[in-house]
Amino acid sequence: MSLVLTAKVVGLTFGAEYPANIYKIAKRFAMGDDSITIVREPNNEVDRNAIAVHDGENPIGHIPRKIAELLSPQIDAGVKWFAAVDSIIVSQENVNQPGIKITLWSEANDE
């Protein structure tokens, strides 16, 4: 059975294109496109377990540290993990700081 997780992407505000990049993803998501990718970053200076979240080739943030600790050894061992946009989070109090939640799942291991 394959594992499915949801996570709020962290570090969004550090991106040069934030928040426009998240609103671009939101527009596509509203049209049914939930594509997003994850990229393992074993040489990340801050976290050796880091996993970046990308929109195409553009990094938008990272998977939270605790989830990355769980997934990075699996990715390093060859297990394929996939991601999709779950939701765009916009607070009425601050529409200029949107967030994004993703769903993560691994390839099925059923034999």
Side-chain angles (χ1 to χ4, degrees), residues 45-110:
E45 293 178 12
V46 176
D47 181 4
R48 64 183 175 84
N49 292 312
I51 301 171
V53 179
H54 283 224
D55 178 30
E57 301 217 358
N58 303 315
I60 61 167
H62 285 84
I63 290 174
R65 187 178 298 263
K66 290 289 185 187
I67 295 174
E69 284 177 20
L70 173 71
L71 302 189
S72 61
Q74 293 181 29
I75 292 170
D76 293 346
V79 176
K80 296 205 183 300
W81 278 85
F82 305 93
V85 176
D86 178 80
S87 58
I88 304 296
I89 305 159
V90 180
S91 165
Q92 290 180 335
E93 291 79 33
N94 196 348
V95 296
N96 292 321
Q97 288 191 322
I100 185 168
K101 192 170 165 186
I102 61 173
T103 299
L104 300 155
W105 69 96
S106 64
E107 61 187 352
N109 315 11
D110 297 335

Side-chain angles (χ1 to χ4, degrees), residues 22-33:
I22 304 306
Y23 285 119
K24 182 177 100 176
I25 294 168
K27 185 175 181 180
R28 284 197 338 256
F29 183 59
M31 301 300 291
D33 180 357

Side-chain angles (χ1 to χ4, degrees), residues 4-48:
V4 177
L5 304 167
T6 59
K8 187 174 177 185
V9 178
V10 299
L12 295 173
T13 59
F14 294 108
E17 297 179 30
Y18 181 83
N21 59 346
I22 304 306
Y23 285 119
K24 182 177 100 176
I25 294 168
K27 185 175 181 180
R28 284 197 338 256
F29 183 59
M31 301 300 291
D33 180 357
D34 64 357
S35 62
I36 209 87
T37 57
I38 57 172
V39 177
R40 178 76 172 92
E41 293 182 334
N43 298 322
N44 184 298
E45 293 178 12
V46 176
D47 181 4
R48 64 183 175 84

